[in-house]
Amino acid sequence: MFVKDVQVQNQVGLHARPATFFIQKANEYKSSIWVEKDERRVNAKSLLGVLSLGIVGGTTIRIIADGADEEQAVNGLVKLVESGFSE
């Protein structure tokens, strides 16, 4: 299991478009991946799950992966979040 915390950089947070990019990126990996906010954990490959967290800009989230490519998965998703989804 590999875990990292990251602060959401873009102002609007993970609304529909950035959440879609996030999920597409998560689906590139074989590992099971979760996003955690305020003790709530959802599947990072589920659009409804990610949107249900109501992640806004400035929020710190935890990305957790477990599997063959867990480290690459977490690092790739952290990099995407840190980029602000190019918004």
Side-chain angles (χ1 to χ4, degrees):
M1 188 173 288
F2 193 75
V3 180
K4 264 192 181 175
D5 290 348
V6 62
Q7 185 174 25
V8 177
Q9 301 297 320
N10 61 326
Q11 288 184 320
V12 292
L14 282 181
H15 65 83
R17 203 176 73 123
T20 301
F21 292 146
F22 186 86
I23 287 142
Q24 287 171 341
K25 185 73 172 172
N27 277 303
E28 292 176 12
Y29 302 102
K30 292 182 179 73
S31 296
S32 296
I33 308 169
W34 301 274
V35 180
E36 204 173 77
K37 175 193 163 214
D38 300 332
E39 308 302 315
R40 259 190 83 213
R41 184 183 288 189
V42 299
N43 183 343
K45 297 179 182 182
S46 162
L47 181 59
L48 282 175
V50 172
L51 290 175
S52 75
L53 291 177
I55 299 165
V56 295
T59 303
T60 298
I61 58 172
R62 176 167 287 157
I63 301 172
I64 305 154
D66 191 20
D69 54 0
E70 60 191 27
E71 197 166 332
Q72 297 96 309
V74 170
N75 288 331
L77 290 167
V78 164
K79 189 174 177 183
L80 178 65
V81 172
E82 287 175 341
S83 78
F85 301 92
S86 302
E87 288 196 332

